Short mmCIF file of all heavy atoms in Angstrom, two decimals:
data_model
loop_
_atom_site.label_atom_id
_atom_site.label_comp_id
_atom_site.label_asym_id
_atom_site.label_seq_id
_atom_site.Cartn_x
_atom_site.Cartn_y
_atom_site.Cartn_z
N SER A 16 90.77 119.30 67.36
CA SER A 16 90.85 119.99 68.65
C SER A 16 90.33 119.08 69.78
O SER A 16 90.81 119.14 70.90
CB SER A 16 90.11 121.32 68.62
OG SER A 16 88.80 121.13 68.15
N LEU A 17 89.36 118.25 69.46
CA LEU A 17 88.89 117.28 70.45
C LEU A 17 90.04 116.35 70.85
O LEU A 17 90.24 116.06 72.02
CB LEU A 17 87.77 116.42 69.86
CG LEU A 17 86.33 116.81 70.22
CD1 LEU A 17 85.36 115.87 69.54
CD2 LEU A 17 86.14 116.81 71.73
N PHE A 18 90.78 115.95 69.81
CA PHE A 18 91.91 115.05 70.05
C PHE A 18 92.94 115.73 70.96
O PHE A 18 93.43 115.14 71.90
CB PHE A 18 92.53 114.67 68.70
CG PHE A 18 93.81 113.89 68.84
CD1 PHE A 18 93.77 112.54 69.19
CD2 PHE A 18 95.04 114.50 68.65
CE1 PHE A 18 94.95 111.83 69.33
CE2 PHE A 18 96.21 113.78 68.79
CZ PHE A 18 96.17 112.45 69.13
N LEU A 19 93.21 117.03 70.65
CA LEU A 19 94.17 117.79 71.45
C LEU A 19 93.71 117.89 72.89
O LEU A 19 94.47 117.66 73.83
CB LEU A 19 94.32 119.21 70.89
CG LEU A 19 95.35 119.40 69.77
CD1 LEU A 19 95.43 120.87 69.40
CD2 LEU A 19 96.72 118.88 70.20
N LEU A 20 92.43 118.21 73.04
CA LEU A 20 91.83 118.36 74.35
C LEU A 20 91.99 117.07 75.14
O LEU A 20 92.40 117.04 76.28
CB LEU A 20 90.34 118.71 74.20
CG LEU A 20 89.61 119.16 75.46
CD1 LEU A 20 90.09 120.55 75.83
CD2 LEU A 20 88.11 119.17 75.21
N TYR A 21 91.69 115.97 74.46
CA TYR A 21 91.73 114.67 75.09
C TYR A 21 93.15 114.32 75.53
O TYR A 21 93.39 113.95 76.68
CB TYR A 21 91.20 113.63 74.11
CG TYR A 21 91.09 112.26 74.71
CD1 TYR A 21 90.10 111.98 75.65
CD2 TYR A 21 91.97 111.25 74.35
CE1 TYR A 21 90.00 110.73 76.21
CE2 TYR A 21 91.87 109.99 74.91
CZ TYR A 21 90.88 109.74 75.84
OH TYR A 21 90.79 108.51 76.40
N SER A 22 94.12 114.53 74.61
CA SER A 22 95.48 114.11 74.95
C SER A 22 96.14 115.04 75.97
O SER A 22 96.94 114.59 76.77
CB SER A 22 96.33 113.98 73.69
OG SER A 22 96.28 115.18 72.98
N SER A 23 95.76 116.33 75.95
CA SER A 23 96.42 117.24 76.89
C SER A 23 95.87 117.06 78.30
O SER A 23 96.58 117.26 79.27
CB SER A 23 96.27 118.69 76.43
OG SER A 23 94.92 119.06 76.53
N SER A 24 94.59 116.67 78.40
CA SER A 24 94.03 116.50 79.74
C SER A 24 94.40 115.14 80.31
O SER A 24 93.96 114.76 81.37
CB SER A 24 92.52 116.66 79.71
OG SER A 24 91.95 115.54 79.08
N SER A 25 95.23 114.40 79.57
CA SER A 25 95.66 113.08 80.00
C SER A 25 94.45 112.19 80.26
O SER A 25 93.42 112.35 79.64
CB SER A 25 96.56 113.21 81.22
OG SER A 25 97.04 111.95 81.60
N LEU A 26 94.55 111.29 81.20
CA LEU A 26 93.44 110.37 81.44
C LEU A 26 92.94 110.44 82.87
O LEU A 26 92.40 109.49 83.40
CB LEU A 26 93.87 108.94 81.10
CG LEU A 26 94.19 108.71 79.61
CD1 LEU A 26 94.93 107.40 79.44
CD2 LEU A 26 92.92 108.72 78.77
N VAL A 27 93.18 111.58 83.51
CA VAL A 27 92.70 111.73 84.88
C VAL A 27 91.17 111.77 84.86
O VAL A 27 90.59 112.62 84.20
CB VAL A 27 93.23 113.03 85.54
CG1 VAL A 27 92.74 113.14 86.98
CG2 VAL A 27 94.74 113.06 85.49
N PRO A 28 90.50 110.85 85.53
CA PRO A 28 89.04 110.84 85.47
C PRO A 28 88.44 112.09 86.11
O PRO A 28 88.97 112.58 87.11
CB PRO A 28 88.66 109.60 86.30
CG PRO A 28 89.90 108.92 86.68
CD PRO A 28 91.05 109.82 86.41
N VAL A 29 87.41 112.60 85.49
CA VAL A 29 86.67 113.71 86.09
C VAL A 29 85.49 113.07 86.83
O VAL A 29 84.64 112.45 86.21
CB VAL A 29 86.16 114.70 85.01
CG1 VAL A 29 85.37 115.83 85.66
CG2 VAL A 29 87.33 115.23 84.21
N ARG A 30 85.47 113.17 88.14
CA ARG A 30 84.46 112.45 88.91
C ARG A 30 83.45 113.41 89.53
O ARG A 30 83.83 114.41 90.13
CB ARG A 30 85.13 111.66 90.03
CG ARG A 30 86.12 110.61 89.54
CD ARG A 30 86.50 109.71 90.68
NE ARG A 30 87.64 108.86 90.37
CZ ARG A 30 87.56 107.66 89.80
NH1 ARG A 30 86.37 107.18 89.45
NH2 ARG A 30 88.64 106.94 89.56
N SER A 31 82.19 113.08 89.39
CA SER A 31 81.14 113.88 90.01
C SER A 31 81.13 113.57 91.50
O SER A 31 81.63 112.54 91.95
CB SER A 31 79.80 113.55 89.39
OG SER A 31 79.44 112.22 89.74
N GLU A 32 80.52 114.49 92.25
CA GLU A 32 80.37 114.28 93.70
C GLU A 32 79.64 112.96 93.96
O GLU A 32 79.99 112.20 94.88
CB GLU A 32 79.56 115.45 94.27
CG GLU A 32 79.83 115.73 95.73
CD GLU A 32 81.26 116.18 96.03
OE1 GLU A 32 81.81 116.97 95.24
OE2 GLU A 32 81.81 115.73 97.04
N TYR A 33 78.65 112.71 93.12
CA TYR A 33 77.86 111.48 93.26
C TYR A 33 78.74 110.23 93.10
O TYR A 33 78.66 109.29 93.88
CB TYR A 33 76.72 111.49 92.23
CG TYR A 33 75.86 110.24 92.27
CD1 TYR A 33 75.07 109.95 93.38
CD2 TYR A 33 75.86 109.36 91.19
CE1 TYR A 33 74.29 108.80 93.42
CE2 TYR A 33 75.08 108.20 91.22
CZ TYR A 33 74.29 107.94 92.34
OH TYR A 33 73.53 106.81 92.37
N GLU A 34 79.59 110.28 92.09
CA GLU A 34 80.48 109.13 91.84
C GLU A 34 81.44 108.91 93.02
O GLU A 34 81.68 107.78 93.44
CB GLU A 34 81.26 109.37 90.54
CG GLU A 34 81.99 108.12 90.08
CD GLU A 34 82.88 108.38 88.87
OE1 GLU A 34 82.81 109.47 88.27
OE2 GLU A 34 83.66 107.47 88.54
N VAL A 35 81.98 110.02 93.53
CA VAL A 35 82.90 109.91 94.67
C VAL A 35 82.18 109.32 95.87
O VAL A 35 82.72 108.45 96.57
CB VAL A 35 83.52 111.29 95.02
CG1 VAL A 35 84.40 111.18 96.27
CG2 VAL A 35 84.32 111.84 93.85
N SER A 36 80.93 109.76 96.10
CA SER A 36 80.20 109.24 97.26
C SER A 36 79.89 107.75 97.09
O SER A 36 79.92 107.00 98.06
CB SER A 36 78.93 110.05 97.51
OG SER A 36 77.99 109.82 96.49
N LEU A 37 79.63 107.33 95.86
CA LEU A 37 79.42 105.90 95.61
C LEU A 37 80.69 105.10 95.90
O LEU A 37 80.65 104.04 96.51
CB LEU A 37 79.00 105.65 94.16
CG LEU A 37 77.55 105.95 93.78
CD1 LEU A 37 77.29 105.54 92.34
CD2 LEU A 37 76.57 105.24 94.71
N LEU A 38 81.81 105.66 95.46
CA LEU A 38 83.10 104.99 95.71
C LEU A 38 83.36 104.87 97.22
O LEU A 38 83.82 103.84 97.71
CB LEU A 38 84.25 105.77 95.06
CG LEU A 38 84.44 105.59 93.57
CD1 LEU A 38 85.48 106.58 93.05
CD2 LEU A 38 84.88 104.16 93.25
N PHE A 39 83.03 105.95 97.92
CA PHE A 39 83.24 105.97 99.37
C PHE A 39 82.37 104.92 100.06
O PHE A 39 82.85 104.14 100.89
CB PHE A 39 82.93 107.38 99.91
CG PHE A 39 83.23 107.57 101.36
CD1 PHE A 39 84.47 107.25 101.88
CD2 PHE A 39 82.27 108.10 102.22
CE1 PHE A 39 84.76 107.44 103.23
CE2 PHE A 39 82.55 108.29 103.57
CZ PHE A 39 83.79 107.96 104.08
N GLU A 40 81.08 104.89 99.68
CA GLU A 40 80.17 103.91 100.30
C GLU A 40 80.62 102.47 99.99
O GLU A 40 80.58 101.60 100.85
CB GLU A 40 78.73 104.12 99.82
CG GLU A 40 78.09 105.43 100.29
CD GLU A 40 77.97 105.56 101.81
OE1 GLU A 40 77.93 104.53 102.51
OE2 GLU A 40 77.94 106.71 102.31
N GLY A 41 81.05 102.26 98.76
CA GLY A 41 81.54 100.93 98.38
C GLY A 41 82.77 100.53 99.18
O GLY A 41 82.91 99.38 99.63
N TRP A 42 83.63 101.50 99.39
CA TRP A 42 84.86 101.27 100.17
C TRP A 42 84.51 100.91 101.62
O TRP A 42 85.08 100.00 102.20
CB TRP A 42 85.72 102.54 100.10
CG TRP A 42 87.03 102.45 100.79
CD1 TRP A 42 88.20 101.95 100.28
CD2 TRP A 42 87.34 102.90 102.11
NE1 TRP A 42 89.20 102.05 101.20
CE2 TRP A 42 88.71 102.63 102.34
CE3 TRP A 42 86.60 103.51 103.13
CZ2 TRP A 42 89.35 102.93 103.54
CZ3 TRP A 42 87.23 103.82 104.32
CH2 TRP A 42 88.59 103.52 104.52
N LEU A 43 83.53 101.64 102.18
CA LEU A 43 83.11 101.37 103.57
C LEU A 43 82.56 99.96 103.72
O LEU A 43 82.85 99.26 104.69
CB LEU A 43 82.06 102.39 104.02
CG LEU A 43 82.56 103.82 104.27
CD1 LEU A 43 81.40 104.77 104.52
CD2 LEU A 43 83.53 103.85 105.45
N VAL A 44 81.77 99.53 102.72
CA VAL A 44 81.20 98.18 102.76
C VAL A 44 82.32 97.14 102.68
O VAL A 44 82.36 96.18 103.44
CB VAL A 44 80.19 97.98 101.61
CG1 VAL A 44 79.78 96.52 101.48
CG2 VAL A 44 78.96 98.85 101.82
N LYS A 45 83.25 97.39 101.76
CA LYS A 45 84.36 96.46 101.57
C LYS A 45 85.18 96.28 102.85
O LYS A 45 85.63 95.19 103.17
CB LYS A 45 85.26 97.00 100.45
CG LYS A 45 85.99 95.92 99.68
CD LYS A 45 86.51 96.53 98.40
CE LYS A 45 87.37 95.56 97.62
NZ LYS A 45 87.85 96.16 96.38
N LEU A 46 85.35 97.37 103.59
CA LEU A 46 86.13 97.30 104.84
C LEU A 46 85.27 97.04 106.06
O LEU A 46 85.79 96.98 107.17
CB LEU A 46 86.91 98.60 105.03
CG LEU A 46 88.30 98.60 104.44
CD1 LEU A 46 88.26 98.92 102.96
CD2 LEU A 46 89.21 99.55 105.17
N ASN A 47 83.94 96.94 105.84
CA ASN A 47 83.01 96.79 106.96
C ASN A 47 83.28 97.87 107.99
O ASN A 47 83.48 97.62 109.17
CB ASN A 47 83.15 95.40 107.59
CG ASN A 47 82.08 95.13 108.63
OD1 ASN A 47 80.97 95.65 108.52
ND2 ASN A 47 82.40 94.36 109.65
N LYS A 48 83.27 99.09 107.49
CA LYS A 48 83.66 100.20 108.35
C LYS A 48 82.50 101.17 108.54
O LYS A 48 81.72 101.40 107.62
CB LYS A 48 84.84 100.93 107.68
CG LYS A 48 85.58 101.83 108.61
CD LYS A 48 86.94 102.19 108.05
CE LYS A 48 87.70 103.04 109.05
NZ LYS A 48 89.07 103.27 108.70
N SER A 49 82.38 101.72 109.74
CA SER A 49 81.38 102.76 109.97
C SER A 49 81.97 103.77 110.94
O SER A 49 82.96 103.49 111.62
CB SER A 49 80.10 102.16 110.53
OG SER A 49 80.41 101.45 111.72
N TYR A 50 81.37 104.95 110.99
CA TYR A 50 81.89 106.01 111.86
C TYR A 50 80.90 106.30 112.97
O TYR A 50 79.71 106.04 112.83
CB TYR A 50 82.18 107.26 111.04
CG TYR A 50 83.17 106.99 109.94
CD1 TYR A 50 82.76 106.95 108.61
CD2 TYR A 50 84.51 106.74 110.22
CE1 TYR A 50 83.66 106.68 107.59
CE2 TYR A 50 85.42 106.47 109.20
CZ TYR A 50 84.99 106.44 107.89
OH TYR A 50 85.87 106.17 106.89
N GLN A 51 81.41 106.89 114.04
CA GLN A 51 80.56 107.11 115.21
C GLN A 51 79.42 108.09 114.95
O GLN A 51 78.34 107.93 115.49
CB GLN A 51 81.40 107.57 116.40
CG GLN A 51 82.23 108.82 116.09
CD GLN A 51 83.37 109.02 117.08
OE1 GLN A 51 83.81 108.06 117.71
NE2 GLN A 51 83.83 110.25 117.22
N ASP A 52 79.67 109.10 114.13
CA ASP A 52 78.58 110.04 113.81
C ASP A 52 78.76 110.62 112.41
O ASP A 52 79.76 110.37 111.73
CB ASP A 52 78.49 111.16 114.86
CG ASP A 52 79.82 111.86 115.04
OD1 ASP A 52 80.49 112.13 114.02
OD2 ASP A 52 80.21 112.13 116.19
N LEU A 53 77.77 111.41 112.02
CA LEU A 53 77.77 111.96 110.67
C LEU A 53 78.89 112.96 110.44
O LEU A 53 79.45 113.02 109.34
CB LEU A 53 76.40 112.63 110.42
CG LEU A 53 75.86 112.39 109.01
CD1 LEU A 53 75.42 110.94 108.87
CD2 LEU A 53 74.70 113.33 108.73
N ALA A 54 79.21 113.71 111.46
CA ALA A 54 80.28 114.70 111.34
C ALA A 54 81.60 114.00 111.01
O ALA A 54 82.37 114.45 110.15
CB ALA A 54 80.40 115.49 112.65
N GLU A 55 81.85 112.90 111.70
CA GLU A 55 83.07 112.13 111.46
C GLU A 55 83.05 111.57 110.04
O GLU A 55 84.07 111.58 109.33
CB GLU A 55 83.18 111.00 112.50
CG GLU A 55 84.39 110.10 112.35
CD GLU A 55 85.73 110.78 112.62
OE1 GLU A 55 85.73 111.92 113.13
OE2 GLU A 55 86.78 110.18 112.31
N LYS A 56 81.90 111.09 109.61
CA LYS A 56 81.77 110.54 108.26
C LYS A 56 82.06 111.60 107.20
O LYS A 56 82.76 111.35 106.22
CB LYS A 56 80.38 109.94 108.06
CG LYS A 56 80.26 109.15 106.78
CD LYS A 56 78.97 108.40 106.66
CE LYS A 56 78.93 107.67 105.32
NZ LYS A 56 77.66 106.95 105.12
N GLU A 57 81.53 112.81 107.42
CA GLU A 57 81.77 113.93 106.51
C GLU A 57 83.27 114.23 106.41
O GLU A 57 83.81 114.42 105.33
CB GLU A 57 81.05 115.18 107.03
CG GLU A 57 79.58 115.22 106.68
CD GLU A 57 79.38 115.32 105.17
OE1 GLU A 57 80.01 116.19 104.54
OE2 GLU A 57 78.61 114.50 104.63
N LYS A 58 83.91 114.26 107.55
CA LYS A 58 85.33 114.57 107.62
C LYS A 58 86.13 113.50 106.86
O LYS A 58 87.02 113.81 106.07
CB LYS A 58 85.75 114.61 109.09
CG LYS A 58 87.21 114.91 109.32
CD LYS A 58 87.55 114.87 110.81
CE LYS A 58 89.02 114.59 111.03
NZ LYS A 58 89.33 114.28 112.43
N ARG A 59 85.77 112.23 107.10
CA ARG A 59 86.47 111.12 106.45
C ARG A 59 86.23 111.12 104.95
O ARG A 59 87.10 110.75 104.16
CB ARG A 59 86.05 109.78 107.07
CG ARG A 59 86.48 109.60 108.50
CD ARG A 59 87.99 109.53 108.60
NE ARG A 59 88.49 110.09 109.86
CZ ARG A 59 89.76 110.39 110.09
NH1 ARG A 59 90.68 110.21 109.16
NH2 ARG A 59 90.13 110.91 111.24
N TYR A 60 85.03 111.54 104.54
CA TYR A 60 84.70 111.63 103.12
C TYR A 60 85.61 112.63 102.41
O TYR A 60 86.13 112.36 101.33
CB TYR A 60 83.23 112.03 102.95
CG TYR A 60 82.83 112.28 101.52
CD1 TYR A 60 82.67 111.22 100.62
CD2 TYR A 60 82.62 113.58 101.05
CE1 TYR A 60 82.32 111.45 99.30
CE2 TYR A 60 82.26 113.81 99.74
CZ TYR A 60 82.12 112.75 98.87
OH TYR A 60 81.78 112.98 97.56
N GLU A 61 85.83 113.77 103.05
CA GLU A 61 86.70 114.80 102.45
C GLU A 61 88.14 114.28 102.30
O GLU A 61 88.80 114.55 101.30
CB GLU A 61 86.68 116.09 103.28
CG GLU A 61 85.35 116.84 103.24
CD GLU A 61 84.90 117.19 101.82
OE1 GLU A 61 85.75 117.55 100.98
OE2 GLU A 61 83.68 117.08 101.54
N ILE A 62 88.60 113.56 103.30
CA ILE A 62 89.96 113.00 103.24
C ILE A 62 90.04 111.93 102.15
O ILE A 62 90.99 111.87 101.38
CB ILE A 62 90.36 112.42 104.62
CG1 ILE A 62 90.43 113.54 105.66
CG2 ILE A 62 91.69 111.68 104.54
CD1 ILE A 62 90.48 113.05 107.10
N PHE A 63 89.01 111.12 102.09
CA PHE A 63 88.91 110.08 101.06
C PHE A 63 88.99 110.71 99.67
O PHE A 63 89.71 110.24 98.79
CB PHE A 63 87.58 109.33 101.24
CG PHE A 63 87.33 108.22 100.25
CD1 PHE A 63 87.76 106.93 100.51
CD2 PHE A 63 86.63 108.47 99.07
CE1 PHE A 63 87.51 105.90 99.61
CE2 PHE A 63 86.38 107.45 98.16
CZ PHE A 63 86.82 106.17 98.43
N LYS A 64 88.24 111.81 99.50
CA LYS A 64 88.20 112.51 98.21
C LYS A 64 89.58 113.03 97.83
O LYS A 64 90.00 112.94 96.68
CB LYS A 64 87.20 113.67 98.33
CG LYS A 64 86.60 114.11 97.02
CD LYS A 64 85.35 114.91 97.28
CE LYS A 64 85.60 116.37 97.13
NZ LYS A 64 84.36 117.17 97.31
N ASP A 65 90.28 113.55 98.81
CA ASP A 65 91.62 114.08 98.58
C ASP A 65 92.60 112.94 98.20
O ASP A 65 93.41 113.09 97.29
CB ASP A 65 92.09 114.80 99.84
CG ASP A 65 93.39 115.54 99.60
OD1 ASP A 65 93.42 116.38 98.68
OD2 ASP A 65 94.38 115.26 100.30
N ASN A 66 92.49 111.83 98.90
CA ASN A 66 93.33 110.68 98.56
C ASN A 66 92.98 110.14 97.17
O ASN A 66 93.87 109.78 96.40
CB ASN A 66 93.17 109.57 99.61
CG ASN A 66 93.98 109.85 100.88
OD1 ASN A 66 95.07 110.40 100.82
ND2 ASN A 66 93.44 109.47 102.02
N LEU A 67 91.70 110.12 96.85
CA LEU A 67 91.25 109.65 95.54
C LEU A 67 91.85 110.50 94.42
O LEU A 67 92.30 109.98 93.39
CB LEU A 67 89.72 109.68 95.47
CG LEU A 67 89.07 109.41 94.10
CD1 LEU A 67 89.41 108.00 93.62
CD2 LEU A 67 87.56 109.59 94.17
N LYS A 68 91.88 111.82 94.64
CA LYS A 68 92.44 112.74 93.64
C LYS A 68 93.91 112.39 93.38
O LYS A 68 94.37 112.34 92.24
CB LYS A 68 92.30 114.17 94.16
CG LYS A 68 92.73 115.26 93.20
CD LYS A 68 92.20 116.62 93.68
CE LYS A 68 92.76 117.76 92.86
NZ LYS A 68 94.14 118.13 93.27
N TYR A 69 94.63 112.13 94.46
CA TYR A 69 96.05 111.78 94.34
C TYR A 69 96.22 110.45 93.60
O TYR A 69 97.08 110.31 92.72
CB TYR A 69 96.67 111.70 95.75
CG TYR A 69 98.16 111.46 95.75
CD1 TYR A 69 99.04 112.50 95.48
CD2 TYR A 69 98.67 110.20 96.00
CE1 TYR A 69 100.41 112.28 95.48
CE2 TYR A 69 100.03 109.97 96.00
CZ TYR A 69 100.90 111.01 95.73
OH TYR A 69 102.25 110.79 95.72
N VAL A 70 95.37 109.50 93.93
CA VAL A 70 95.41 108.18 93.29
C VAL A 70 95.10 108.31 91.80
O VAL A 70 95.83 107.77 90.95
CB VAL A 70 94.40 107.21 93.97
CG1 VAL A 70 94.20 105.95 93.15
CG2 VAL A 70 94.87 106.86 95.39
N ASP A 71 94.05 109.05 91.48
CA ASP A 71 93.65 109.23 90.07
C ASP A 71 94.75 109.89 89.25
O ASP A 71 95.04 109.47 88.13
CB ASP A 71 92.39 110.11 90.00
CG ASP A 71 91.11 109.29 90.18
OD1 ASP A 71 91.18 108.03 90.09
OD2 ASP A 71 90.05 109.90 90.41
N GLU A 72 95.36 110.93 89.81
CA GLU A 72 96.41 111.64 89.08
C GLU A 72 97.61 110.74 88.83
O GLU A 72 98.17 110.74 87.74
CB GLU A 72 96.81 112.91 89.83
CG GLU A 72 95.84 114.05 89.58
CD GLU A 72 96.01 115.22 90.54
OE1 GLU A 72 96.99 115.24 91.31
OE2 GLU A 72 95.14 116.12 90.51
N HIS A 73 97.97 109.97 89.83
CA HIS A 73 99.10 109.06 89.65
C HIS A 73 98.78 108.00 88.60
O HIS A 73 99.56 107.75 87.68
CB HIS A 73 99.48 108.38 90.96
CG HIS A 73 100.51 107.29 90.78
ND1 HIS A 73 101.86 107.51 90.82
CD2 HIS A 73 100.37 105.97 90.48
CE1 HIS A 73 102.51 106.40 90.58
NE2 HIS A 73 101.63 105.43 90.37
N ASN A 74 97.61 107.41 88.74
CA ASN A 74 97.25 106.28 87.86
C ASN A 74 97.05 106.71 86.40
O ASN A 74 97.06 105.87 85.50
CB ASN A 74 96.02 105.55 88.39
CG ASN A 74 96.34 104.77 89.67
OD1 ASN A 74 97.51 104.62 90.03
ND2 ASN A 74 95.31 104.30 90.34
N ALA A 75 96.84 108.01 86.17
CA ALA A 75 96.69 108.50 84.80
C ALA A 75 98.05 108.56 84.09
O ALA A 75 98.12 108.61 82.88
CB ALA A 75 96.06 109.89 84.81
N GLY A 76 99.12 108.53 84.86
CA GLY A 76 100.46 108.59 84.28
C GLY A 76 100.96 107.21 83.89
O GLY A 76 100.32 106.20 84.18
N ASN A 77 102.09 107.20 83.26
CA ASN A 77 102.70 105.94 82.82
C ASN A 77 103.74 105.51 83.85
O ASN A 77 104.88 105.95 83.81
CB ASN A 77 103.33 106.18 81.44
CG ASN A 77 103.91 104.92 80.84
OD1 ASN A 77 103.55 103.81 81.24
ND2 ASN A 77 104.81 105.08 79.88
N HIS A 78 103.34 104.67 84.80
CA HIS A 78 104.24 104.28 85.89
C HIS A 78 104.35 102.76 85.98
O HIS A 78 103.52 102.04 85.42
CB HIS A 78 103.71 104.81 87.23
CG HIS A 78 103.56 106.29 87.28
ND1 HIS A 78 104.63 107.13 87.36
CD2 HIS A 78 102.46 107.08 87.24
CE1 HIS A 78 104.21 108.39 87.38
NE2 HIS A 78 102.88 108.38 87.31
N THR A 79 105.34 102.31 86.72
CA THR A 79 105.52 100.86 86.92
C THR A 79 104.60 100.33 88.02
O THR A 79 104.57 99.14 88.27
CB THR A 79 106.98 100.55 87.34
OG1 THR A 79 107.26 101.32 88.52
CG2 THR A 79 107.96 100.90 86.23
N PHE A 80 103.88 101.23 88.68
CA PHE A 80 102.98 100.79 89.75
C PHE A 80 101.75 101.68 89.82
O PHE A 80 101.75 102.80 89.31
CB PHE A 80 103.71 100.79 91.10
CG PHE A 80 104.05 102.17 91.62
CD1 PHE A 80 103.32 102.70 92.68
CD2 PHE A 80 105.06 102.93 91.07
CE1 PHE A 80 103.61 103.97 93.17
CE2 PHE A 80 105.35 104.19 91.54
CZ PHE A 80 104.62 104.72 92.59
N THR A 81 100.71 101.15 90.44
CA THR A 81 99.48 101.91 90.61
C THR A 81 99.27 102.23 92.09
O THR A 81 99.83 101.57 92.96
CB THR A 81 98.25 101.11 90.14
OG1 THR A 81 98.12 99.96 90.98
CG2 THR A 81 98.37 100.68 88.69
N LEU A 82 98.47 103.25 92.31
CA LEU A 82 98.04 103.55 93.67
C LEU A 82 96.60 103.06 93.81
O LEU A 82 95.93 102.79 92.83
CB LEU A 82 98.13 105.05 93.95
CG LEU A 82 99.54 105.65 93.88
CD1 LEU A 82 99.51 107.12 94.27
CD2 LEU A 82 100.50 104.89 94.78
#
Side-chain angles (χ1 to χ4, degrees):
S16 52
L17 260 179
F18 173 77
L19 273 184
L20 191 71
Y21 185 72
S22 54
S23 67
S24 71
S25 183
L26 295 165
V27 181
V29 179
R30 299 191 192 272
S31 67
E32 205 65 40
Y33 179 66
E34 191 186 351
V35 176
S36 69
L37 283 184
L38 281 172
F39 185 52
E40 293 299 335
W42 183 84
L43 288 172
V44 170
K45 209 164 174 179
L46 269 83
N47 188 31
K48 197 163 183 171
S49 57
Y50 302 108
Q51 56 199 23
D52 54 42
L53 220 70
E55 179 67 11
K56 189 172 179 182
E57 278 295 310
K58 180 183 156 191
R59 293 294 148 194
Y60 174 73
E61 291 304 321
I62 296 166
F63 180 89
K64 205 162 102 177
D65 188 57
N66 281 325
L67 172 63
K68 185 165 172 280
Y69 185 78
V70 168
D71 275 346
E72 279 167 9
H73 172 89
N74 290 349
N77 184 19
H78 301 287
T79 56
F80 69 106
T81 64
L82 297 184

